[in-house]
Short mmCIF file of all heavy atoms in Angstrom, two decimals:
data_model
loop_
_atom_site.label_atom_id
_atom_site.label_comp_id
_atom_site.label_asym_id
_atom_site.label_seq_id
_atom_site.Cartn_x
_atom_site.Cartn_y
_atom_site.Cartn_z
N HIS A 84 -3.99 33.58 -2.62
CA HIS A 84 -4.43 32.18 -2.52
C HIS A 84 -4.38 31.44 -3.85
O HIS A 84 -4.81 30.29 -3.94
CB HIS A 84 -5.84 32.13 -1.92
CG HIS A 84 -5.88 32.63 -0.51
ND1 HIS A 84 -6.72 33.62 -0.08
CD2 HIS A 84 -5.11 32.31 0.55
CE1 HIS A 84 -6.49 33.88 1.20
NE2 HIS A 84 -5.51 33.09 1.60
N LEU A 85 -3.85 32.11 -4.89
CA LEU A 85 -3.90 31.51 -6.23
C LEU A 85 -3.09 30.22 -6.31
O LEU A 85 -3.57 29.21 -6.84
CB LEU A 85 -3.43 32.52 -7.28
CG LEU A 85 -3.53 32.06 -8.73
CD1 LEU A 85 -4.96 31.68 -9.09
CD2 LEU A 85 -3.01 33.15 -9.67
N ALA A 86 -1.85 30.24 -5.81
CA ALA A 86 -1.02 29.03 -5.90
C ALA A 86 -1.66 27.90 -5.10
O ALA A 86 -1.70 26.74 -5.55
CB ALA A 86 0.40 29.31 -5.40
N GLY A 87 -2.20 28.23 -3.94
CA GLY A 87 -2.89 27.21 -3.13
C GLY A 87 -4.11 26.65 -3.84
O GLY A 87 -4.38 25.45 -3.77
N ALA A 88 -4.83 27.52 -4.55
CA ALA A 88 -6.00 27.06 -5.31
C ALA A 88 -5.57 26.12 -6.43
O ALA A 88 -6.23 25.12 -6.71
CB ALA A 88 -6.77 28.25 -5.87
N MET A 89 -4.42 26.44 -7.06
CA MET A 89 -3.90 25.54 -8.11
C MET A 89 -3.59 24.17 -7.50
O MET A 89 -3.95 23.13 -8.07
CB MET A 89 -2.60 26.12 -8.71
CG MET A 89 -2.74 27.40 -9.50
SD MET A 89 -3.75 27.20 -10.97
CE MET A 89 -5.22 28.08 -10.49
N ALA A 90 -2.92 24.19 -6.36
CA ALA A 90 -2.53 22.94 -5.72
C ALA A 90 -3.75 22.15 -5.24
O ALA A 90 -3.74 20.91 -5.24
CB ALA A 90 -1.59 23.24 -4.55
N ALA A 91 -4.81 22.87 -4.86
CA ALA A 91 -6.03 22.19 -4.41
C ALA A 91 -6.70 21.43 -5.54
O ALA A 91 -7.34 20.40 -5.32
CB ALA A 91 -7.01 23.22 -3.84
N HIS A 92 -6.52 21.93 -6.77
CA HIS A 92 -7.25 21.37 -7.91
C HIS A 92 -6.38 20.55 -8.85
O HIS A 92 -6.85 20.14 -9.92
CB HIS A 92 -7.92 22.49 -8.71
CG HIS A 92 -9.09 23.10 -8.01
ND1 HIS A 92 -10.30 22.45 -7.85
CD2 HIS A 92 -9.25 24.30 -7.41
CE1 HIS A 92 -11.14 23.21 -7.18
NE2 HIS A 92 -10.53 24.34 -6.90
N SER A 93 -5.10 20.33 -8.49
CA SER A 93 -4.23 19.55 -9.38
C SER A 93 -3.15 18.85 -8.56
O SER A 93 -2.70 19.38 -7.53
CB SER A 93 -3.55 20.49 -10.40
OG SER A 93 -2.63 19.77 -11.19
N THR A 94 -2.72 17.67 -9.03
CA THR A 94 -1.60 16.99 -8.37
C THR A 94 -0.28 17.27 -9.10
O THR A 94 0.74 16.68 -8.78
CB THR A 94 -1.84 15.47 -8.30
OG1 THR A 94 -2.13 14.99 -9.61
CG2 THR A 94 -2.98 15.13 -7.35
N LEU A 95 -0.30 18.19 -10.07
CA LEU A 95 0.96 18.63 -10.69
C LEU A 95 1.74 19.43 -9.65
O LEU A 95 1.16 20.04 -8.76
CB LEU A 95 0.67 19.52 -11.90
CG LEU A 95 0.08 18.84 -13.14
CD1 LEU A 95 -0.34 19.89 -14.16
CD2 LEU A 95 1.07 17.87 -13.75
N PRO A 96 3.10 19.48 -9.80
CA PRO A 96 3.85 20.37 -8.90
C PRO A 96 3.47 21.83 -9.14
O PRO A 96 3.37 22.26 -10.30
CB PRO A 96 5.32 20.10 -9.26
CG PRO A 96 5.31 19.33 -10.52
CD PRO A 96 3.96 18.73 -10.71
N VAL A 97 3.25 22.56 -8.04
CA VAL A 97 2.87 23.97 -8.13
C VAL A 97 3.95 24.82 -7.46
O VAL A 97 4.33 24.57 -6.32
CB VAL A 97 1.51 24.23 -7.44
CG1 VAL A 97 1.18 25.73 -7.44
CG2 VAL A 97 0.40 23.43 -8.12
N ILE A 98 4.43 25.81 -8.21
CA ILE A 98 5.40 26.77 -7.68
C ILE A 98 4.67 28.09 -7.46
O ILE A 98 3.99 28.58 -8.37
CB ILE A 98 6.58 26.96 -8.66
CG1 ILE A 98 7.25 25.61 -8.95
CG2 ILE A 98 7.58 27.97 -8.10
CD1 ILE A 98 8.30 25.67 -10.07
N GLY A 99 4.82 28.67 -6.27
CA GLY A 99 4.12 29.91 -5.96
C GLY A 99 5.09 31.09 -5.90
O GLY A 99 6.15 31.00 -5.27
N VAL A 100 4.70 32.18 -6.57
CA VAL A 100 5.51 33.41 -6.54
C VAL A 100 4.70 34.48 -5.79
O VAL A 100 3.69 34.97 -6.30
CB VAL A 100 5.81 33.93 -7.97
CG1 VAL A 100 6.70 35.16 -7.89
CG2 VAL A 100 6.44 32.84 -8.83
N PRO A 101 5.14 34.84 -4.56
CA PRO A 101 4.44 35.92 -3.86
C PRO A 101 4.82 37.27 -4.49
O PRO A 101 6.00 37.56 -4.69
CB PRO A 101 5.00 35.83 -2.43
CG PRO A 101 5.84 34.59 -2.38
CD PRO A 101 6.25 34.28 -3.78
N ILE A 102 3.81 38.07 -4.81
CA ILE A 102 4.08 39.32 -5.54
C ILE A 102 3.94 40.53 -4.60
O ILE A 102 3.02 40.60 -3.79
CB ILE A 102 3.17 39.42 -6.78
CG1 ILE A 102 3.61 38.31 -7.74
CG2 ILE A 102 3.24 40.79 -7.43
CD1 ILE A 102 3.00 38.30 -9.09
N ASP A 103 4.90 41.43 -4.75
CA ASP A 103 4.98 42.58 -3.85
C ASP A 103 4.11 43.73 -4.35
O ASP A 103 4.62 44.80 -4.69
CB ASP A 103 6.45 43.02 -3.69
CG ASP A 103 7.24 43.02 -5.00
OD1 ASP A 103 6.79 42.39 -5.97
OD2 ASP A 103 8.30 43.66 -5.03
N SER A 104 2.79 43.50 -4.38
CA SER A 104 1.88 44.51 -4.93
C SER A 104 1.04 45.19 -3.85
O SER A 104 0.24 46.06 -4.17
CB SER A 104 0.95 43.85 -5.96
OG SER A 104 0.25 42.77 -5.39
N SER A 105 1.24 44.83 -2.60
CA SER A 105 0.36 45.36 -1.55
C SER A 105 1.10 46.32 -0.62
O SER A 105 2.31 46.52 -0.74
CB SER A 105 -0.17 44.20 -0.70
OG SER A 105 0.89 43.71 0.11
N ALA A 106 0.37 46.87 0.33
CA ALA A 106 0.97 47.77 1.33
C ALA A 106 2.04 47.07 2.16
O ALA A 106 2.94 47.70 2.70
CB ALA A 106 -0.13 48.31 2.23
N PHE A 107 1.94 45.73 2.26
CA PHE A 107 2.92 44.97 3.03
C PHE A 107 4.08 44.47 2.17
O PHE A 107 4.87 43.64 2.60
CB PHE A 107 2.24 43.80 3.75
CG PHE A 107 1.33 44.24 4.86
CD1 PHE A 107 -0.04 44.25 4.70
CD2 PHE A 107 1.84 44.65 6.09
CE1 PHE A 107 -0.89 44.67 5.71
CE2 PHE A 107 1.01 45.06 7.11
CZ PHE A 107 -0.37 45.08 6.92
N GLN A 108 4.15 44.95 0.94
CA GLN A 108 5.26 44.66 0.03
C GLN A 108 5.52 43.17 -0.16
O GLN A 108 6.65 42.73 -0.29
CB GLN A 108 6.53 45.38 0.50
CG GLN A 108 6.34 46.88 0.45
CD GLN A 108 7.46 47.65 1.11
OE1 GLN A 108 8.09 47.16 2.04
NE2 GLN A 108 7.69 48.86 0.63
#
Side-chain angles (χ1 to χ4, degrees):
H84 295 126
L85 185 57
M89 293 296 108
H92 288 288
S93 175
T94 53
L95 290 171
V97 176
I98 303 171
V100 183
I102 293 188
D103 42 343
S104 56
S105 72
F107 291 103
Q108 296 171 331

